[in-house]
């Protein structure tokens, strides 16, 4: 099974068949897809300017999509290195019980679904790396009441998400499943109430 870097080399290799280059970009999303596979693909296609179903994509557009994905992956990998170092230090200092950020992080190790978008057509418009920087900044500060990505305050509790956790607060503006540790207890309660109001 090819790794992310070897797949990325195939995307960039002009000697490879165009179908293989497109396929290799799709396979990269099995290794790193912040919004989930389908939503990340839709995002990259819209940002690079090609249709998700286009089988004859301009190679330059494929490489532009890959560049964005690689930049975001570098941001996330840097965060994971810092996270692992912090946990090692905490364990050394006797703090064995992980916090809520640690619980959330365990579900997203490797970067898959860190900003899960259950609807593949609804996702943030900003570059992936910027979205991840905003998310990481929110994880490293006190909880707030808004979406860490778009600052939207319309959070709605959703059930039966195609992700783990399968329930949680979804931003109705940018579509991400907002990590619970970045929200105050009041914001989480408001999101749950908004679900009840919509259901009524």
């Amino acid at each position: 099974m090819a790794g992310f870097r070897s797949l990325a080399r195939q995307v960039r290799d002009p000697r490879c068949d165009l179908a293989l280059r497109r396929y290799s970009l799709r396979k990269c999303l099995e290794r790193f897809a912040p919004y989930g596979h389908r939503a990340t693909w839709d995002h990259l296609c819209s940002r690079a300017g090609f249709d998700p179903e286009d089988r004859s994509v301009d190679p330059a557009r494929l490489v532009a999509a890959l560049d964005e994905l690689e930049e975001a992956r570098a941001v996330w990998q840097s965060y994971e290195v810092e996270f692992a170092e912090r946990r090692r230090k905490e364990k050394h200092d006797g703090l064995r019980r992980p916090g809520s950020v640690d619980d959330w992080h365990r579900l997203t190790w490797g970067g898959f679904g860190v900003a899960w978008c259950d609807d593949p057509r609804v996702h943030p418009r900003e570059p992936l790396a910027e979205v991840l920087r905003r998310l990481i900044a929110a994880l490293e500060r006190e909880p707030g009441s808004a979406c860490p990505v778009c600052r939207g305050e319309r959070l709605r509790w959703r059930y039966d998400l195609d992700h783990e956790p399968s329930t949680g607060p979804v931003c109705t503006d940018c579509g991400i499943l907002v990590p619970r540790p970045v929200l105050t207890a009041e914001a989480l309660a408001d999101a749950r109430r908004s679900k009840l109001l919509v259901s009524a």
Side-chain angles (χ1 to χ4, degrees), residues 42-148:
D42 190 80
H43 170 87
L44 291 173
C45 293
S46 64
R47 296 253 322 144
F50 61 93
D51 187 271
E53 300 302 321
D54 188 352
R55 304 287 177 195
S56 302
V57 182
D58 175 358
R61 293 182 189 274
L62 286 176
V63 171
L66 176 63
D67 287 344
E68 179 171 347
L69 188 64
E70 284 181 320
E71 182 184 1
R73 184 171 178 261
V75 168
W76 189 252
Q77 285 181 321
S78 176
Y79 169 72
E80 286 195 330
V81 167
E82 291 171 14
F83 177 88
E85 183 55 39
R86 177 181 62 80
R87 282 300 295 141
R88 269 194 296 279
K89 184 178 182 324
E90 286 173 351
K91 286 179 183 177
H92 180 266
D93 293 343
L95 182 61
R96 296 280 176 191
R97 186 170 186 190
S100 61
V101 171
D102 304 306
D103 290 339
W104 172 82
H105 191 267
R106 193 172 53 253
L107 298 173
T108 61
W109 189 259
F112 186 83
V114 295
W116 180 262
C117 297
D118 213 51
D119 182 340
R121 295 170 310 272
V122 181
H123 45 73
R125 289 188 167 85
E126 296 82 8
L128 281 171
E130 178 58 26
V131 168
L132 293 182
R133 285 185 193 101
R134 292 177 188 179
L135 188 62
I136 290 166
L139 290 165
E140 294 174 343
R141 65 176 178 255
E142 290 297 313
S145 61
C147 171

Side-chain angles (χ1 to χ4, degrees), residues 156-159 191-200:
R156 184 159 292 143
W157 202 265
R158 292 270 317 274
Y159 295 89
R192 282 188 179 96
R193 274 194 295 278
S194 73
K195 170 57 184 163
L196 293 175
L197 292 172
V198 169
S199 300

Side-chain angles (χ1 to χ4, degrees), residues 31-46:
R31 312 299 183 276
F32 180 73
Y35 302 154
H37 190 280
R38 294 186 311 144
T40 305
W41 177 249
D42 190 80
H43 170 87
L44 291 173
C45 293
S46 64

